[in-house]
Amino acid sequence: MSLLTLLPFIVLIGAMFLMTRSAKKKQQQAADMRNQMQPGSGIRTIGGMYATVKEVNEDTVLVDAGPGVDLLFAKNAIGAVLTDDEYNRIVHGIEHDLKSDADIVPDDASSLTATDESAADAPGDDKAVDLGKKDAADEPAGEAAEAKTDAEPKKTDGDSEAK
C-alpha cells in the first residue's frame, strides 16, 4: 500500500483525536466549575432555572429557588455558576454599572429639552399672544373711524324701538 492511500485515514483519525480532546477539555472545565460552587453562590440549571446554592454534597446540590422552596439537584444539572453581579442583574434586576462615570441617557426626552433655567426664559401663560387681531384701542381714531361706523349698519339683538 502506498502512503497516498493511507493519508485520508490518518487525517480522519487525527481529526477525531482533536475533537475528543476538546470535548474532554470542556467536560473538565464544567466539572471544575461545579466543584467550585459554594453556599450562597448563584447558579443557573441546565433547564434555565436561577437559584442560590444552600448546600453542596458530593453528587448533589441543595438550592433555594424562592422563599421556602428548597430543591435538590444533581451536580451535573448545574449549567453555570454565576458571579454575584450577574446573578443580581438577572434575578433581582439590579444593574451594577462598572462605567459609572459614563454619560447616562435618560428614558424620556423631557429632561433633555427643558431645564429650570430655560423654563424661566420661556414665555409664560400670563402674557398675551398676538393672533393678528386688533383691539378697539388699536384702531385709528378720528374721521376714518367715524366713517366706518356710519357705513356699517348697527346690529341689534332683535329689539327694535319702532313697533
Side-chain angles (χ1 to χ4, degrees), residues 139-159:
E139 299 243 348
E143 296 175 7
E146 291 174 9
K148 185 176 180 183
T149 56
D150 291 337
E152 294 180 16
K154 291 186 178 181
K155 295 182 182 177
T156 62
D157 293 333
D159 295 334

Side-chain angles (χ1 to χ4, degrees), residues 20-35 76:
T20 56
R21 184 174 175 216
S22 67
K24 284 182 182 179
K25 214 178 215 184
K26 286 182 183 179
Q27 286 178 348
Q28 184 63 36
Q29 287 175 347
D32 290 343
M33 179 256 322
R34 290 182 185 115
N35 289 334
N76 292 340

Side-chain angles (χ1 to χ4, degrees), residues 110-161:
S110 63
S111 63
L112 297 175
T113 56
T115 60
D116 292 334
E117 296 138 8
S118 65
D121 296 337
D125 293 335
D126 56 343
K127 294 182 181 179
V129 178
D130 182 23
L131 299 176
K133 294 183 179 180
K134 294 184 178 182
D135 292 337
D138 294 340
E139 299 243 348
E143 296 175 7
E146 291 174 9
K148 185 176 180 183
T149 56
D150 291 337
E152 294 180 16
K154 291 186 178 181
K155 295 182 182 177
T156 62
D157 293 333
D159 295 334
S160 84
E161 295 178 16

Side-chain angles (χ1 to χ4, degrees), residues 62-93:
L62 183 66
V63 298
D64 181 20
V69 180
D70 294 338
L71 303 171
L72 186 65
F73 280 94
K75 266 192 177 178
N76 292 340
I78 306 303
V81 177
L82 308 172
T83 63
D84 290 338
D85 291 338
E86 186 178 9
Y87 181 77
N88 287 332
R89 180 182 58 82
I90 294 170
V91 175
H92 302 295

